[in-house]
Amino acid sequence: MYWSKTLIPTLREAPADAEIVSHKLLLRAGLIRKLAGGVYTFLPLGLRALRKVEQIIREEMDRAGANEVLMPALQPKEIWEQSGRAETASNVLFKVKDSSNREWFLSPTAEEVITTLAANEINSYRQLPKNFYQVSLKFRDEIRPRFGLMRAKEFIMKDAYSFDTTDAGAMASYQKMYAAYQRIFARCGLQAFPVEADTGVIGGSHSHEFMVPAETGENDVAYCEACGYAANIEKATSGLPKTAAREIGAAPEKFATPGVVTIEALSKDPYKVPANRQIKTLVYIADSQPILILIRGDDQLNETKLLAKTGAVVARPATVDEIVLLLGAKPGSLGAVYINFERFPDDVRNSLFEARKNILERDGISGFEKIKVYADERLQGANDMTTGANEDGFHLKNVSIERDIKVTAWFDLRTVSAGEPCAKCAQPLKIRRAIEVGHVFKLGTKYSEKLNATFLAADGSRQPCVMGCYGIGVTRTLQAVIEQGNDKDGIIWPLSVAPYQVCLTPLAVAPESEPMKLAEKIYAELTAQGVDVILDDRDERPGVKFKDSELVGFPIRLAIGEKALAKGEVEIKPRSGPVQFVKIADAVSTVLALVKTVYSR
RNA sequence: CGGAGCGUAGCUCAGCCUGGUAGAGCACUUGCUUUGGGAGCAAGACGUCGCAGGUUCGAAUCCUGUCGCUCCGACCA
């Protein structure tokens, strides 16, 4: 390609709405342009890089035995209702109506479509296992698009779906994809590592995310350098000991705490109750039912764990009004010792109970009379604890959680912090930010059962396919490559995904000038060898050409100037390496040798 | 959806407080000079100041509404 024939609108300054370095460079290097928030056009250079990432993904998916298909972006509402996700994934679904008022969803993923296909086309165990994938445009009704391609309303995703006859087979399919992902990200020049992950509304039993470490990422990963444990903070656990038991009195004791509504205030004079001897009581509305969550005072609730462990579809903190109706006190004085107004005489209690129940049920909240209490495992066996008395301005001490509180179930509900001992090897955990570029799930039979994707087994029985699904955010991966590879001058592409591998830079471009004639000759030779070359034929000053080639980040620049030519030489400069002058006759072979170092930046 | 901020030339921004003929740098066009690290000089083109309404003799500027964008939070396959 000749530079003057394509469109590479480089910018000296980044548009004001670009926040992170990779977003700025995507715009400055002329790879993308924004049409609207979270919606971008890929310009020629950006599309070339994107296609290279896609090609790597296709090669590795094919190598792993997956078959490429292309499924509709426009999906009928009915199949989403059948899987149950019309409701559970409702907040991210783009919904459209056609002229006859029929509802459609713009595909954020394709479990329903592929499972419907399998239901129709796969009948026998002889046809399994199978793995189908596609690379296509996906839509998500992001409430807040951010960081360019990182979180967009519209993006390119590779999604794959495996179908097996047995659980063990599904596990093998999962491992194949896991290995393919490691190859894919390595070939893209990315340092991506797998971490244990929550399965979210996709569901399933087993899941890893592939993470690219970056301060601008939107995920926190807990990891152990000693044993290799790594997990999304939403899933991570640690090996902290349970709260120590002590000698205490026979019953909880109420004491006045006027104006004290925080853990911190109660830990100070005159009360001096350390946060780790307090029980924090949180009220949530989970699937329209009130629940209490008990966490140690110095811990933080992990809402993802709450949903995962309780099986709730949606949960939100209760409002202050709801809390007063439920427990009779405002936040700051809440506890789970007396949750049904035991402190009142029976007749008063019953009338309060009925009145409040009616109001809550009017607002769609049910199960008031039997509030479930979920407690974090770290509180198991804890006594000599202090918690709210469900009476404004009062707390209870001498609380033994097992004796005084009716806990419905114990779960790991807390968020781990850096420095806690690893659950596997006791070394201190670290936490860092990362970009999620891929996700693999073992789904099991959740979708195949709901959408009737069954097969006839060798023994004649009809069984649901055991499924897995595997996603890679292609456009996000592209941006992650830039986020990880840049310096003050611009992008540093790995050879594998660079829009062009070599930038030929003649410093005189008149058709009959020596630099231009030599550039055209080298261009022809490199192109014939299968190298992606761009020839900067613009009549610009050398400084402009050098700055642009570094901003765009071509891995190898071959400059041809009058001075070096007079000595029979040209100048070859890797994007992040030293300049070398080579004889004209050796120029092509030197470049070819550099291009062979496929995995290097 | 809550909180904050911003919408002026293709890009970065000034002007707004204190109303009075629309500005700068970069980019663009033409000419001359220059030619190994984002050139110099000269000339030129580019704007319904996001949109709508209001106040006023007069609004980029003040008021109201609205749309869009960004940040923080909530949310997130």
Side-chain angles (χ1 to χ4, degrees), chain A residues 267-443:
Chain A
S267 71
K268 289 183 176 164
D269 282 333
Y271 313 104
K272 286 193 187 282
V273 181
N276 63 15
R277 302 309 299 189
Q278 298 187 41
I279 302 171
K280 179 157 49 180
T281 306
L282 304 170
V283 186
Y284 269 69
I285 307 296
D287 294 346
S288 300
Q289 303 231 331
I291 57 172
L292 294 190
I293 297 134
L294 308 184
I295 294 277
R296 214 169 80 173
D298 54 342
D299 282 340
Q300 294 297 320
L301 171 68
N302 186 320
E303 289 191 14
T304 306
K305 287 184 180 177
L306 177 68
L307 290 177
K309 301 290 170 59
T310 63
V313 176
V314 287
R316 62 167 174 86
T319 64
V320 172
D321 290 345
E322 289 165 346
I323 289 170
V324 170
L325 286 169
L326 287 164
L327 296 178
K330 285 186 273 209
S333 303
L334 305 180
V337 179
Y338 307 125
I339 53 175
N340 286 327
F341 306 116
E342 283 90 344
R343 60 195 161 90
F344 296 105
D346 281 356
D347 53 335
V348 176
R349 188 167 72 99
N350 288 337
S351 64
L352 275 172
F353 202 82
E354 278 308 310
R356 295 173 183 212
K357 182 179 173 189
N358 289 340
I359 297 176
L360 286 162
E361 286 184 346
R362 186 196 65 199
D363 293 340
I365 296 173
S366 61
F368 172 53
E369 59 287 345
K370 44 177 191 293
I371 299 179
K372 291 194 171 85
V373 178
Y374 297 113
D376 181 63
E377 287 168 351
R378 202 182 182 194
L379 286 169
Q380 251 169 345
N383 60 8
D384 190 20
M385 302 300 285
T386 296
T387 189
N390 285 337
E391 189 175 344
D392 289 340
F394 291 91
H395 280 77
L396 297 173
K397 59 185 175 186
N398 285 340
V399 172
S400 162
I401 194 162
E402 314 243 6
R403 180 191 69 194
D404 302 322
I405 295 176
K406 207 173 160 193
V407 174
T408 310
W410 297 91
F411 295 124
D412 166 31
L413 294 172
R414 62 184 294 280
T415 304
V416 306
S417 303
E420 292 177 10
C422 171
K424 290 185 179 169
C425 74
Q427 292 303 301
L429 291 175
K430 294 189 173 183
I431 292 181
R432 70 180 306 174
R433 302 285 286 173
I435 299 164
E436 179 193 346
V437 288
H439 205 156
V440 292
F441 293 89
K442 181 164 158 278
L443 285 174

Side-chain angles (χ1 to χ4, degrees), chain A residues 537-548:
Chain A
D537 60 333
R538 295 174 302 166
D539 186 13
E540 288 285 355
R541 302 168 64 83
V544 173
K545 294 185 163 201
F546 292 150
K547 286 288 186 192
D548 270 349

